[in-house]
């Protein structure tokens, strides 16, 4: 039996549908205000993040443009070496033989500050910035011409060609005492084997063994730790983070001390904030394997003249911040390649030093260079 339909509700009572009607009430004013406030906070946070991301690189770029002119060494000169390239050269003192100082991997000529000042009282001493480092501008890839099509942009073959053209354009003639540290030692060796008539003395400071990259543990360390660390420095400089860290005192200049001028310190801070300089440093580290191979090939192709004296300066270890087993490996390979390539070299051990000796133990290097200069000058006078 069907149920009777319920009577319709009276006009004063709300009608109730068979299905429940969803709640259609409007959000309260407090809820609307809260939602708007939350959105505003998000927008403001987004604006702040945008400022944080965009402003430091622009401020860093503007500062670099101003500092590039202000911090160029007063005694330095920008030399046109041809092929559209210009390189920074800084010479102090007068006389012969001329001492040429070539910096370690990825470093500017500032690291020779102490040594150059000390030896310049005896003779002419020149430092320079390799292409892309310091105040030597590197050409972009689409601008390259000439030798860089033969050699990679940051290998020893290219750097030696650059140095040869630099000395010629600046009118600096030999005989030279050629001094190089790490990559600078590879460059000095290559240069001396090619242009042996110009070089009276070759001084190698912490030379990199030619076959070091044949060792897997070294390759793992170099390309797994060292190169990425310089890539991080490049990124930090490009984003303006390096400049902020320098201002906060979290990053300090490499060369420092009581005898270092404020100009040198400011110049190092400028380079630490300069992504172009850091980019060149990355490339020099990345191509070090090929640079070592080029030197190995040239020494076999053209042995060193017996007229050129060779001296080697090493410390207690190659790098005190590197694992000990790698230091032992470098020492073993150094000894082997020196015995094969320069068996009559004068080997000098500097106690308590490592690859940073050129700015942490500069007096030992200066003393040896002064001795070589005195010997050559005495020989010239006797002739």
């Amino acid at each position: 039996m069907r149920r009777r339909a319920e009577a319709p509700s009276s006009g004063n009572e709300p009608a109730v549908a068979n299905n429940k009607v969803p709640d259609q009430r409007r959000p309260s004013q407090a809820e609307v205000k809260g939602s708007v406030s939350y959105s505003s906070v998000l927008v403001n946070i987004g604006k702040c993040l945008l400022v944080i991301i965009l402003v430091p690189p622009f401020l860093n770029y503007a500062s670099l443009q101003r500092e590039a002119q202000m911090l160029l060494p007063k005694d330095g000169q920008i030399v046109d070496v041809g092929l559209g390239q210009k390189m920074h050269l800084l010479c102090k003192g007068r006389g012969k033989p001329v001492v040429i100082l070539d910096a370690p991997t990825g470093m500017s000529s500032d690291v020779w500050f102490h040594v150059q000042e000390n030896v310049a009282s005896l003779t002419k001493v020149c430092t320079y910035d390799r292409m892309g480092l310091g105040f030597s501008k590197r050409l972009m890839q689409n601008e390259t011409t000439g030798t860089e099509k033969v050699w990679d942009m940051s290998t020893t073959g290219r750097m030696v060609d650059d140095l040869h053209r630099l000395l010629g354009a600046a009118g600096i003639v030999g005989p030279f005492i050629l001094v190089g540290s790490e990559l600078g030692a590879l460059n000095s060796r290559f240069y001396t084997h090619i242009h042996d008539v110009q070089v009276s003395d070759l001084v190698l400071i912490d030379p990199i063994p030619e076959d070091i990259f044949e060792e897997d543990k070294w390759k793992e360390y170099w390309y797994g730790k060292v190169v990425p660390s310089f890539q991080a420095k490049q990124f930090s400089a490009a984003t303006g983070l390096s400049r902020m860290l320098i201002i906060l005192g979290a990053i300090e200049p490499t060369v420092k001390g009581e005898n270092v001028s404020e100009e040198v310190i400011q110049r190092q801070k400028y380079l630490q904030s300069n992504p172009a300089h850091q980019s060149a440093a990355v490339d020099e580290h990345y191509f070090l394997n090929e640079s070592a191979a080029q030197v190995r090939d040239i020494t076999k192709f053209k042995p060193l003249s017996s007229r050129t004296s060779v001296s080697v300066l090493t410390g207690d270890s190659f790098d005190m911040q590197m694992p000990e087993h790698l230091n032992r490996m470098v020492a073993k390979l150094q000894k082997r390649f020196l015995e094969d390539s320069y068996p009559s070299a004068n080997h000098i051990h500097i106690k308590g030093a490592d690859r940073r000796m050129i700015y942490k133990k500069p007096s030992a290097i200066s003393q040896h260079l002064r001795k070589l200069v005195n010997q050559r000058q005495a020989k010239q006078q006797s002739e």
Side-chain angles (χ1 to χ4, degrees), residues 96-97 371-383:
K96 289 187 177 182
K371 180 180 177 181
L372 289 177
V373 170
N374 286 326
Q375 289 175 348
R376 288 297 172 184
Q377 288 179 343
K379 187 175 181 180
Q380 289 172 5
Q381 291 176 359
S382 64
E383 293 175 349

Side-chain angles (χ1 to χ4, degrees), residues 275-291:
H277 171 83
Q278 298 298 338
S279 174
V282 169
D283 285 352
E284 287 194 352
H285 283 83
Y286 185 81
F287 288 111
L288 191 64
N289 183 9
E290 188 166 341
S291 291

Side-chain angles (χ1 to χ4, degrees), residues 45-103:
I45 291 175
K47 289 179 179 178
C48 290
L49 290 175
L50 196 62
V51 169
I52 292 172
I53 294 171
L54 295 180
V55 170
F58 282 109
L59 292 178
N60 185 52
Y61 178 79
S63 298
L64 291 174
Q65 302 309 304
R66 175 175 53 85
E67 294 166 348
Q69 299 299 323
M70 294 175 51
L71 297 176
L72 181 68
K74 296 180 180 64
D75 299 326
Q77 54 181 317
I78 303 299
V79 182
D80 188 337
V81 299
L83 303 178
Q85 302 175 75
K86 294 182 179 181
M87 298 181 69
H88 172 243
L89 176 70
L90 175 63
C91 294
K92 295 187 176 183
R94 298 180 64 182
K96 289 187 177 182
V98 180
V99 179
I100 309 294
L101 304 174
D102 204 338

Side-chain angles (χ1 to χ4, degrees), residues 97 176-179 192 198-203 307-311 372-373 375-376:
F176 302 135
I177 295 178
L178 205 51
V179 186
T192 304
Q198 298 179 3
V199 183
S200 62
D201 300 89
L202 173 63
V203 181
R307 297 188 302 271
T308 305
S309 77
V310 180
S311 50
L372 289 177
V373 170
Q375 289 175 348
R376 288 297 172 184

Side-chain angles (χ1 to χ4, degrees), residues 99-103 109 112-113 115-116 125-128 177-180 188 365 369:
V99 179
I100 309 294
L101 304 174
D102 204 338
S109 54
W112 292 111
F113 173 79
V115 175
Q116 185 173 31
V125 185
C126 297
T127 61
Y128 76 106
I177 295 178
L178 205 51
V179 186
S188 298
I365 299 172
L369 294 180

Side-chain angles (χ1 to χ4, degrees), residues 210-228:
E210 302 164 356
D211 53 354
I212 186 72
F213 284 93
E214 294 178 8
E215 302 290 337
D216 291 338
K217 290 183 179 179
W218 177 264
K219 285 194 294 186
E220 180 181 350
Y221 167 75
W222 192 260
Y223 290 107
K225 184 174 181 180
V226 176
V227 173

